[in-house]
Amino acid sequence: MKILKIIPSPKLEIYQDSKNEWRWNIKVNGEIIGASSEGYINRQDCVDNIKNLKKRIEYLERNDLIV
């Protein structure tokens, strides 16, 4: 018998902090599992940071470098 494990979908949030800088975080079940380490003046720079992170994770997956 195969047991199916249901993994909740992550939620990406892009927001402005108290300094009006753009930041992002990723939540699962309301718990933050990843967040930007810096604020960005432009929203697009924040979005580009997320896209860059995605590309790096895909590279790690393609090259079996995730342990």
Side-chain angles (χ1 to χ4, degrees):
M1 172 196 258
K2 203 173 201 179
I3 298 176
L4 225 60
K5 185 175 181 181
I6 298 173
I7 301 172
S9 296
K11 305 280 189 226
L12 173 65
E13 177 184 32
I14 299 173
Y15 64 96
Q16 282 185 290
D17 64 14
S18 60
K19 295 179 184 178
N20 287 327
E21 294 180 335
W22 292 95
R23 293 181 174 271
W24 60 265
N25 64 40
I26 299 172
K27 294 180 181 179
V28 174
N29 286 340
E31 182 179 339
I32 295 173
I33 62 165
S36 57
S37 59
E38 62 182 282
Y40 298 90
I41 294 171
N42 301 308
R43 185 180 190 281
Q44 187 59 50
D45 292 337
C46 184
V47 171
D48 290 344
N49 178 253
I50 296 164
K51 289 179 179 178
N52 186 23
L53 177 62
K54 180 180 181 270
K55 287 179 186 176
R56 290 170 185 254
I57 291 170
E58 289 169 347
Y59 171 84
L60 293 171
E61 289 174 333
R62 272 194 315 275
N63 292 286
D64 292 322
L65 297 172
I66 296 178
V67 293

